[in-house]
Amino acid sequence: MLVLLPPSEGKAPSGRGAPLKPESLSLPGLAEARAAVLDELVELCAADEEKAREVLGLSEGLRGEVAKNVELRTAGARPAGEVYTGVLYDALGLATLDAAARKRAGASLLVFSGLWGAVRVTDRIPSYRCSMGVKLPGLGALGTHWRGAMASVLPEAAGDGLVLDLRSAAYATAWKPRGETAARTATVRVLHAPTRKVVSHFNKATKGRIVRSLLEADAAPGTPAELVEALRDLGYVVETGARAGALDVLVDEIH
């Protein structure tokens, strides 16, 4: 099973250890596309702070994020699973999984990123600010930039197993499963059962808990239908949508 996650806007500070080693990142087929984004992002942020802030969509209060991007090549790196914070990652709680579940997380979780394309939670990266919705002056829209490299790399990463796509819309632009991979792809929408509405914070937290539950249970569904059964066995209320592979998880309480 391959689980596709969005990143978080908020990130933990960079580590104090060794800096980024681009060649050590998973999915080496993305290396050239990563280098192009890294080069332009560092150059943009070093040359013109105001322009960089505008391009990155940062408020005055987030001015420090520009300076952080300037230091991407020299800042200490730490596992991506520690860098990404926020509601989904708090609920997932990678640090509190047992050793076996953490190993499964390292093998099955891919976090999509405007800067890195996609990384495993064990890949060491510095803290950064660059969402998939950004349009860099030279490269253009990052979702479009990543599409070409992703088209060959992601199907190979997915193999012949289930793809559980929990990405937000902006990050889904970088890769759309096709063919046989699409037939093995499941998407999840979390709904507040009494209202049948999506609540953003609630949606993220529940998705984090779903991933944690699957990792702890060592669940290995191979198809969307098997995923439905696995989630029901774990106590979730699941309905299948009108579109193939689309699942609704219903939760009574918003927390």
Side-chain angles (χ1 to χ4, degrees):
M1 179 174 63
L2 186 68
V3 182
L4 310 181
L5 298 174
S8 57
E9 288 298 324
K11 299 174 182 69
S14 293
R16 295 183 179 180
L20 169 74
K21 295 181 179 179
E23 69 278 6
S24 72
L25 297 178
S26 301
L27 309 180
L30 300 179
E32 185 176 344
R34 285 172 177 150
V37 180
L38 179 62
D39 287 347
E40 183 169 353
L41 182 62
V42 171
E43 182 178 349
L44 169 68
C45 292
D48 189 331
E49 183 181 271
E50 290 305 317
K51 182 177 180 181
R53 198 158 61 84
E54 179 182 351
V55 169
L56 296 174
L58 300 176
S59 66
E60 174 67 29
L62 293 174
R63 183 180 293 274
E65 299 292 282
V66 176
K68 183 165 67 175
N69 283 346
V70 175
E71 307 297 329
L72 283 171
R73 292 193 180 91
T74 57
R78 61 198 300 182
E82 297 177 12
V83 171
Y84 295 116
T85 59
V87 176
L88 187 153
Y89 291 91
D90 285 347
L92 173 54
L94 287 169
T96 60
L97 291 170
D98 65 32
R102 283 199 302 274
K103 184 176 181 179
R104 289 191 285 271
S108 62
L109 306 188
L110 273 186
V111 184
F112 272 61
S113 162
L115 173 54
W116 314 115
V119 293
R120 298 197 184 277
V121 293
T122 52
D123 286 333
R124 297 180 63 83
I125 59 173
S127 184
Y128 68 95
R129 191 64 174 247
C130 184
S131 70
M132 191 65 79
V134 164
K135 294 182 179 180
L136 291 176
L139 293 177
L142 289 178
T144 303
H145 169 75
W146 285 111
R147 235 172 267 158
M150 293 278 189
S152 58
V153 173
L154 265 292
E156 181 179 350
D160 58 2
L162 174 75
V163 176
L164 175 53
D165 189 352
L166 302 178
R167 297 173 296 168
S168 53
Y171 290 89
T173 64
W175 181 61
K176 181 178 181 180
R178 299 187 183 280
E180 292 183 1
T181 306
R184 291 182 278 103
T185 297
T187 58
V188 172
R189 185 174 60 162
V190 180
L191 302 181
H192 181 218
T195 64
R196 285 301 201 274
K197 291 182 178 179
V198 174
V199 181
S200 179
H201 179 285
F202 181 46
N203 177 55
K204 293 175 183 177
T206 303
K207 286 180 177 178
R209 285 192 286 271
I210 285 171
V211 176
R212 183 182 179 92
S213 296
L214 292 169
L215 291 171
E216 289 181 321
D218 193 14
T223 65
E226 290 177 5
L227 175 63
V228 171
E229 293 307 311
L231 291 176
R232 286 174 176 167
D233 288 344
L234 290 168
Y236 292 93
V237 179
V238 185
E239 295 179 352
T240 55
R243 183 172 53 84
L247 311 181
D248 289 340
V249 174
L250 307 180
V251 187
D252 290 327
E253 296 182 5
I254 297 178
H255 55 87

